[in-house]
Amino acid sequence: MLALYTDRLKLRCLKESDWEHFYALHSDPEINLYVRTPEPEDVIRKKFMQRADTWFYGSGEWLTLVIETVDTGLFIGLNGLYCQSIEEQRAEVGYLLTKESHGQGYATESLKAVIDWACLSFNVHKFIAHCAKDNKASARVLEKCGFQLEGLLRQQFKIGEHWVDDCAYGLLAEERQR
């Protein structure tokens, strides 16, 4: 079973006992303010079951890793990796953290670990990430990891009744921050 470690964090695969945390993150309107309108429980449950299933790179599914503290096992959030193209060596990354974990560097630390692991394990050449234009905290995380803003997709998606501009970020493997 996959496990990645940093100085403060352990990233591991989802398991059935993570359902409560997964549901809490995906159903909280404040956490999802820049991501999506929270979906019904059955839709979130289906997503959880798919992401808790055995994963392989190129499966067409997201790998979702639980982020927890090394010392206490406290649930911090989720980090994900998705193979966009094996041939073009391109992967997408994402993260979602509990409100209590914001502003402590956990997103940056866990994202760097996933990027390093993906470079070594899957020879990823380029990483892609998206965040809403107004999500300044997420943009800072990406920039701390070396991502560069590559474009703005105007009114790209809708959350509730509001159209959201989406920032497209890219990171070449050779540019990643260690």
Side-chain angles (χ1 to χ4, degrees):
M1 179 175 260
L2 173 66
L4 306 175
Y5 290 88
T6 70
D7 290 341
R8 302 183 300 162
L9 303 173
K10 175 182 178 181
L11 287 79
R12 60 165 177 79
C13 294
L14 274 176
K15 53 188 178 188
E16 185 61 37
S17 60
D18 296 316
W19 163 244
E20 246 181 72
H21 293 301
F22 188 92
Y23 179 70
L25 278 180
H26 284 83
S27 62
D28 186 315
E30 190 177 338
I31 290 173
N32 287 278
L33 180 64
Y34 300 114
V35 181
R36 71 180 69 81
T37 301
E39 300 161 313
E41 183 175 348
D42 62 320
V43 173
I44 297 171
R45 179 58 129 162
K46 185 176 179 182
K47 186 182 296 186
F48 174 79
M49 296 305 292
Q50 176 275 308
R51 293 185 180 184
D53 202 2
T54 303
W55 176 88
F56 64 91
Y57 194 70
S59 67
E61 304 292 347
W62 277 88
L63 168 65
T64 300
L65 298 171
V66 170
I67 307 165
E68 55 192 15
T69 57
V70 171
D71 55 354
T72 64
L74 177 70
F75 179 83
I76 299 297
L78 304 170
N79 202 310
L81 176 73
Y82 174 77
C83 173
Q84 282 191 345
S85 171
I86 291 176
E87 297 79 21
E88 295 175 3
Q89 299 168 269
R90 189 175 59 245
E92 185 173 346
V93 292
Y95 41 86
L96 198 60
L97 274 62
T98 64
K99 289 179 272 200
E100 300 79 23
S101 302
H102 290 180
Q104 299 183 47
Y106 294 135
T108 302
E109 189 173 331
S110 63
L111 183 57
K112 285 180 179 180
V114 168
I115 289 168
D116 286 345
W117 169 73
C119 284
L120 294 170
S121 300
F122 308 114
N123 196 31
V124 174
H125 170 72
K126 183 173 184 176
F127 293 90
I128 304 295
H130 293 271
C131 75
K133 181 182 173 187
D134 294 336
N135 191 346
K136 304 297 184 205
S138 189
R140 276 193 307 275
V141 167
L142 294 171
E143 290 163 3
K144 285 180 187 175
C145 291
F147 281 81
Q148 295 180 33
L149 179 62
E150 294 188 345
L152 176 68
L153 306 170
R154 298 176 304 131
Q155 297 186 10
Q156 180 68 8
F157 60 95
K158 202 173 186 183
I159 299 178
E161 296 302 313
H162 303 284
W163 285 101
V164 178
D165 293 344
D166 192 28
C167 292
Y169 282 85
L171 171 69
L172 300 179
E174 65 210 30
E175 300 169 337
R176 71 187 194 269
Q177 305 293 312
R178 303 227 183 260

